[in-house]
Amino acid sequence: MTTLIIAPPPTPNGDLHVGHLAGPYLAGDVYARMLRGEGQGVLYATGTDDSQTYVVTSAAKLNLTPEALCAQAARDIQDTLKLTGVQVDGFAPFDERYRATVLAFLTPLFEQGRFEWRTVTFPYDPVRQEFLVEGLVGGTCPVCLSGSRGGLCEACGHPNNFMELLDPVSTLHPRHPVEGREARILVFPLERYRAQLEAYYARQEGRWRPHILQLVRELLAAPLPDFPVTYPVTWGIPSPYPGTEGQVLNAWVEGMPASMYCSATAGEAGGLSPEQAAALWEDPQARLVYFLGFDNSYFWGVVHLALLMAHGGRFVLPDVIVPNEFYELEHEKFSTSRGHLIWARDLTRDVPRDLARYYLALTCPEHHRTNFSRSALEKLTRERLLDPWAGLQRHFVPDGTGPLPVTPAGQDAARRMAERLRACYALETFSLTRLADTLTQHLQRLHREADEARAQGHAPSGDLWHQLRVLLHLASPLLIDATASLLLDQQQPWTALLDESSVTPFALPPLVPEPALA
Ligand SMILES: [Zn+2]
């Protein structure tokens, strides 16, 4: 069985900041590394979402063409993933095959009449004679009354379509008047999938994080809106369907084929043929997992899901969606336009990346907004990671003696510890915060027990060495550099360690790399 992990392709209107990293990208990486360590098949993939109108608005502010901005940002994002240790198996390019994959997904739905024609009214700028959708329009969310862009409200997660945004204003030309103007477009009538969506979500109660389930309940309490498949704007993939001349595809309708293309890119990188890779989402044995920001839950959890359902069982449906909330920087929202942010690459330049990953795990916004603070990073990594690690380094020193015996009691303690840590990795109870916390608890416990042994004149026993070895394997998806030299070879799952009856003492690597000798 292969687990297909998707972190949403970021909009290439800039590099990834720490808020992005603390959201889906680190979580997906840690989960993927855990599965790889257990010897399971996994393909973790992402790409870029070039069709978003946000590319157009950001490019205008930077005085770049949208194409140039996309190309630069896609390179930056890929570099940043590498620098932060987010090891994706595939990063899909936005190329001709991408566009072909999108059309191969949508055209059967068009031909089978799954889309319908609607004449709808959109906000319109009469000065520039342009329709305003998505990132091109701002206003007030009709559900929660927060400031919102078109299509979706980041604050409450509810969609808004057509003229639903209150007091619409052009983002790029805020002084221009905005009026309503009709256009005939293709829509995807979500209400047709109500029964399937309700049955699907009845199975997820208690399995997924509560906020996304709350949103879905709120959405299902009213008729589901029509989802616009095409938009009468110019940025995006041109719609090839007769009657939509001059329109483009809504960027959000690309989500599923884009993700399939991401998985396919990962599959091909892993040695699958293009045909095998393209069919990964058609394998009923495959397990599909998304990590994403809560603000995207409506698309991934409703629209995209219904689009998969519209294909009548051809594709696998997501097993678990793991959403995260917003991360704040010093108690204010990350903001690219105000420059209130830390780029992810800068953080890993300033702080050893194991420490950065540990702090982000400890504080990431799993259920509600949480905060990144530079002073808290210093304090928490010192107290909860560096100090206990240094304590272990003092006690656990290989003295050249051979393997030490591990007793059944030592194996038992390692198993109990492993069970608690594995619960942090299991998707239904997935928590990077608990993972970081539990790691610290056991680093401190092993330090304490080694301290007590020393006080009685003993070096750490085989039982303690065994537990330390198991703990470091369970820490390895998060602390990637410090543990790299200790891991079993790729072919052997770490769980094989649990049964070992002897252990050879090893040198515990430093958490902070030693400065290179001049
Ligand atoms: Zn709202």
Side-chain angles (χ1 to χ4, degrees):
M1 183 187 75
T2 301
T3 299
L4 304 169
I5 305 173
I6 296 290
T11 301
N13 60 343
D15 200 352
L16 298 178
H17 59 58
V18 167
H20 296 123
L21 184 61
Y25 303 101
L26 178 63
D29 180 60
V30 169
Y31 183 60
R33 285 173 182 270
M34 186 61 195
L35 294 186
R36 291 186 201 114
E38 290 189 341
Q40 298 193 42
V42 54
L43 291 173
Y44 176 31
T46 192
T48 54
D49 190 4
D50 295 40
S51 301
Q52 293 288 349
T53 48
Y54 295 91
V55 170
V56 179
T57 50
S58 298
K61 285 178 195 147
L62 294 167
N63 242 329
L64 291 170
T65 65
E67 291 82 359
L69 176 59
C70 285
Q72 181 59 47
R75 283 193 297 273
D76 290 346
I77 290 167
Q78 248 181 305
D79 285 349
T80 292
L81 292 176
K82 283 202 190 91
L83 289 168
T84 53
V86 174
Q87 187 187 349
V88 290
D89 300 295
F91 189 91
F94 188 85
D95 58 7
E96 276 315 310
R97 273 178 77 192
Y98 174 99
R99 285 179 270 269
T101 306
V102 168
L103 296 182
F105 180 87
L106 295 177
T107 300
L109 300 180
F110 174 75
E111 288 172 348
Q112 293 159 18
R114 301 285 185 165
F115 301 149
E116 293 179 4
W117 294 102
R118 293 276 192 284
T119 298
V120 296
T121 305
F122 284 108
Y124 184 80
D125 175 348
V127 179
R128 294 185 54 88
Q129 303 187 0
E130 284 172 353
F131 286 98
L132 303 172
V133 302
E134 300 282 326
L136 303 173
V137 63
T140 301
C141 167
V143 176
C144 76
L145 305 178
S146 299
S148 172
R149 295 294 170 86
L152 188 84
C153 172
E154 279 194 343
C156 67
H158 279 264
N160 65 74
N161 291 305
F162 318 124
M163 288 301 284
E164 288 173 0
L165 210 51
L166 310 176
D167 312 317
V169 177
S170 164
T171 324
L172 286 176
H173 306 282
R175 289 164 184 277
H176 289 187
V178 173
E179 56 189 42
R181 177 166 293 217
E182 284 189 343
R184 186 168 179 266
I185 62 162
L186 281 175
V187 301
F188 179 54
L190 288 172
E191 183 62 21
R192 277 206 212 164
Y193 301 89
R194 166 174 294 276
Q196 285 182 71
L197 290 167
E198 284 177 344
Y200 176 87
Y201 275 102
R203 296 194 295 274
Q204 312 313 342
E205 276 302 327
R207 291 185 70 221
W208 291 13
R209 289 184 177 171
H211 199 186
I212 183 171
L213 296 176
Q214 176 193 341
L215 173 69
V216 171
R217 272 195 304 276
E218 288 169 2
L219 290 164
L220 287 170
L224 292 168
D226 289 332
F227 176 75
V229 172
T230 62
Y231 275 143
V233 298
T234 52
W235 181 256
I237 297 181
S239 170
Y241 306 118
T244 63
E245 289 78 6
Q247 299 183 10
V248 300
L249 300 174
N250 179 350
W252 291 109
V253 89
E254 298 171 22
M256 288 296 90
S259 299
M260 291 175 194
Y261 188 48
C262 292
S263 296
T265 305
E268 285 187 44
L272 295 183
S273 70
E275 294 72 26
Q276 290 169 321
L280 280 166
W281 284 46
E282 295 176 50
D283 173 5
Q285 300 301 315
R287 180 163 164 268
L288 182 59
V289 175
Y290 310 150
F291 289 87
L292 47 84
F294 169 77
D295 52 319
N296 282 333
S297 296
Y298 161 70
F299 294 121
W300 292 77
V302 178
V303 178
H304 294 171
L305 183 59
L307 283 164
L308 290 174
M309 289 168 170
H311 277 276
R314 180 177 166 195
F315 299 113
V316 65
L317 302 180
D319 180 39
V320 184
I321 300 181
V322 185
N324 62 270
E325 307 290 326
F326 283 117
Y327 201 35
E328 293 187 334
L329 172 58
E330 309 293 351
H331 298 292
E332 274 183 65
K333 207 176 158 183
F334 275 83
S335 165
T336 309
S337 56
R338 285 186 294 112
H340 183 70
L341 54 77
I342 297 178
W343 298 114
R345 66 172 65 214
D346 291 346
L347 179 65
T348 49
R349 189 195 56 210
D350 298 348
V351 179
R353 65 179 175 181
D354 277 354
L355 269 55
R357 288 167 64 100
Y358 174 87
Y359 177 73
L360 295 185
L362 192 65
T363 59
C364 67
E366 295 179 339
H367 292 283
H368 51 78
R369 284 189 185 203
T370 55
N371 184 53
F372 176 97
S373 136
R374 201 50 199 262
S375 56
L377 183 153
E378 309 280 333
K379 176 177 159 61
L380 292 175
T381 54
R382 166 65 55 200
E383 291 174 359
R384 300 192 189 187
L385 189 57
L386 289 167
D387 286 350
W389 193 277
L392 290 172
Q393 280 184 307
R394 281 197 300 278
H395 287 310
F396 287 82
V397 180
D399 60 2
T401 54
L404 300 169
V406 179
T407 70
Q411 290 178 340
D412 188 54
R415 277 208 179 80
R416 288 169 195 266
M417 175 184 68
E419 273 318 298
R420 293 309 295 163
L421 284 157
R422 289 172 90 179
C424 305
Y425 288 108
L427 279 189
E428 287 161 22
T429 47
F430 186 83
S431 171
L432 291 185
T433 300
R434 259 197 311 284
L435 173 66
D437 245 348
T438 312
L439 286 175
T440 293
Q441 178 205 332
H442 287 287
L443 292 172
Q444 289 171 336
R445 179 181 65 84
L446 292 177
H447 176 222
R448 200 171 53 240
E449 292 189 19
D451 232 7
E452 287 164 8
R454 281 277 181 229
Q456 294 170 20
H458 306 300
S461 64
D463 284 358
L464 286 182
W465 275 104
H466 174 67
Q467 290 178 62
L468 179 61
R469 190 163 180 230
V470 169
L471 179 61
L472 293 173
H473 276 78
L474 282 151
S476 66
L478 185 62
L479 306 178
I480 56 178
D481 293 323
T483 58
S485 63
L486 301 174
L487 300 187
L488 296 176
D489 73 70
Q490 290 266 308
Q491 305 311 315
Q492 205 183 358
W494 71 267
T495 43
L497 285 180
L498 291 173
D499 297 323
E500 292 197 349
S501 54
S502 67
V503 59
T504 304
F506 50 88
L508 190 60
L511 256 181
V512 178
E514 318 266 6
L517 293 174

